[in-house]
Amino acid sequence: MSLNNAMTKVDRRDAKLALAHVYVAFIALLLGGLAGLLQVFVRSGQFKLPAGIGYYQVLTVHGVLLGLILTTFFIFGFQIAGVSRTSGTFTDKQRLLGWIGFWLMTIGTVAAAVMVLLNKATVLYTFYAPLQAHWIFYLGLTLVVVGSWIGSAGQILRYVQWRKEHKGQTSPLLSFMVVVNNLLWFVASLGVAVSVLFQLLPWSLGLIERVDVLLSRTLFWYFGHALVYFWLLPAYMVWYVVIPKVIGGKVFSDSLARLSFMLFLIFSVPVGLHHQLTEPGIDTTWKFIQVVLTMAVVVPSLMTAFSLFATFELRGRELGGKGLFGWFKKLPWKDARFIVPFIGMLAFIPGGAGGIVNASYQMNQLIHNTIWVPGHFHLTFASAVVLTYFGAAFWLIPHLTGRKLTKSLNSLGIVSGVLWAVGMTIMSTAMHIAGLLGAPRRSDYSEYGGAQQAYDWIPYQIAQAVGGTILFIAILVITYVVIKLAWFAPKGEEEFPIASIHESSGPTPPMLENFKVWLVILVALIIFAYTIPIFDIISNSPAGSKGFKFW
């Protein structure tokens, strides 16, 4: 089935479900962005939080709302719309799974947020033990994860139904990518689910006296790094499938796109130990093995870069671009749907370079737990990923609401992207430099008093506040655009852009759609990478020496 033959309009009932997710995502963006603004103000040393609000309280709000809630809800809204657009309208039962998942996620979000606001769950973004939150916070996060599993099941079932109805045909590329991302999410979130359900939740309820801290951290990072790819792959979906259509081109290679997604699937999970390179209790051999597996992710990333810029060049030359870079000038630089995600693509270049430093065994010693790490994080997730989400929202929301992206809203979209680029350049650069000077992450620096080292960080703290202010202005502009596109823009039809496959792409090998084979490889890698390290953690812990009662 050609992508050109897919449905051109998302069914109204599916659109309602997708929009519900998207609206929650942008509410989380506004509140989480405000918390981030307060953070950088406090770190500048020129501002104190009012009403007894704690710095780590707003840090937790910022991290959880943007890192978990914004992402999960927007991704599911986009994926629901994408599957409906390319594989057909959901059945009533499939859509019901989506709604059940949405309400469980929403209830869980509210429960967790209330505990954070009451200052009973100030446990940072990673909610590490031995920091302990109220049990309602952990229960809320559990509902978010379980709800996401139920919602993703509806998407996968729609894809399976399409495969049964079109035996022997290559499935729609976007639907295929959605299934890969949902499988990645399910496998990865098992780690944090085990930690919360069997360690942190019983511990906070007083059912057990203690938890194995190293085990809980290892289970978190089993999930934590794959979470990055759960955020990233929807951006890649936009880059591979949507952006070529926006610029008037075609998907460079269907096979290359599917292979890159399968490689992300198998290399995303067994790499979490590279976040724990400085932690004792884990054998260095296994840390090194997972560093190697982490570096393997460079391969699908480079494949994606090659595919994207090949698409850009082919289209630019079709439009008359001459010379080595003449094609570059022919791209639609006045289209917010293109330029905002493109800024994100550019940010991913230095972000990826910083990631290599983070995952390198020796260079990590310098920057581990410094503010360099959030600086890297804000280039990869908060720039490459989030800007792509914004660019997608500029066409996704009006498509689902039956409105138009007007010329003025398109211009505001470009303004928001430029503001984001300027603000993030200032803030993340300051974070990277301060990190090299030893400034710690997750700290308001007040405990350093008059130490000379803290004075060295002051210019970069102020720069972070300047950059953060510009970023929050960008959030306000984007929020305005979203509200207009949802309820006030002129009625009309906005395209859900899905590119067709380039004629030179060639047939897609059936192996690339054989999920059984790729899942077996994934499970084998996880067993190889984690069995012995986790066994060592359990058997060498004080509780583990007494019959493995490590809970």
Side-chain angles (χ1 to χ4, degrees), residues 121-135:
T122 304
V123 290
L124 313 184
Y125 159 67
T126 44
F127 43 90
Y128 274 161
L131 295 175
Q132 186 184 76
H134 194 281
W135 65 268

Side-chain angles (χ1 to χ4, degrees), residues 448-465:
Y448 289 86
Q452 180 60 46
Q453 189 179 23
Y455 286 116
D456 294 339
W457 303 332
I458 288 176
Y460 305 105
Q461 296 166 25
I462 294 173
Q464 290 170 44

